[in-house]
Amino acid sequence: MGLHQSFIDEILRRILSVTTPDRVILFGSAAVGEMDEDSDVDLMILDPHLDAASQASRQLRSRIRHALYGMDTAFDLIVMPTDAFEREKDVVGTAAWPANAFGKVVYEAASGENKTGGGERSEFRRDRAIDGAQVRRLHRVATRPMG
C-alpha cells in the first residue's frame, strides 16, 4: 500500500505552513510501497538554517508535528540541517543514509515544487527500486552493533 498523491500534497502543505525547508524526503515503508495499517510515515526535513543540537531544531520538529496533527496517521520526523545531511548521507548507520539511499524527495526548495509531479510518483533516489524485504535487511545490517 502506498500513499495517495493527495495525502502527500496535504503533508507538504502543512509542513510548508510552518517552515521553508530545502528538501522533504519520504523514506521507509511508505517510500517503497510496503506500508500496512501499522506503518508510520517517515519524513526527513532538511533545513539550511539549523544547528543539529540547537533548541531551534527541537522547536521546528515540534511545530511540524503540531501542523501534521489530525492527519490520522503516525509520523516519524527527522529534522536535520542540510549540511549535516550532505556530510552523513553516504555513511551507513546514520539517520541520513536510508533517506538518501532509498527515500524519495517529495519537495525541493530549489524548484519550490512538489517533486512527485502532481500525481506521478517520483523515482527512488539513485534510481534504486527495492522491495520492503531488502530495506529491512539493509536496515538490520546498517544498525548492527560493530565489534
Side-chain angles (χ1 to χ4, degrees):
M1 173 173 103
L3 295 178
H4 293 286
Q5 183 60 45
S6 60
F7 190 74
I8 294 172
D9 291 342
E10 181 62 14
I11 290 169
L12 293 174
R13 185 191 69 74
R14 290 178 182 219
I15 291 172
L16 294 172
S17 75
V18 296
T19 189
T20 53
D22 274 347
R23 277 174 275 173
V24 176
I25 303 171
L26 175 70
F27 67 106
S29 60
V32 296
E34 295 286 327
M35 282 189 74
D36 62 30
E37 63 275 355
D38 296 323
S39 296
D40 62 3
V41 174
D42 301 298
L43 295 170
M44 180 164 288
I45 296 100
L46 304 180
D47 190 302
H49 307 292
L50 290 179
D51 175 2
S54 74
Q55 179 69 18
S57 179
R58 290 184 289 279
Q59 290 172 341
L60 178 56
R61 186 173 48 253
S62 179
R63 286 196 323 266
I64 293 169
R65 188 168 302 285
H66 182 74
L68 295 172
Y69 180 77
M71 291 197 69
D72 202 27
T73 194
F75 290 93
D76 186 6
L77 303 175
I78 300 174
V79 176
M80 176 179 267
T82 305
D83 61 342
F85 176 81
E86 293 301 328
R87 280 192 312 272
E88 298 174 9
K89 67 183 181 182
D90 294 319
V91 180
V92 174
T94 63
W97 183 78
N100 182 62
F102 311 113
K104 296 190 301 186
V105 175
V106 293
Y107 174 83
E108 191 162 14
S111 65
E113 295 179 15
N114 177 334
K115 296 297 285 186
T116 56
E120 298 173 16
R121 297 181 60 102
S122 64
E123 295 301 315
F124 290 102
R125 306 256 322 152
R126 299 181 182 196
D127 297 322
R128 287 185 181 169
I130 63 170
D131 65 23
Q134 290 171 304
V135 169
R136 288 186 292 278
R137 187 170 45 257
L138 287 167
H139 185 263
R140 280 193 304 274
V141 169
T143 58
R144 183 178 303 143
M146 298 181 82

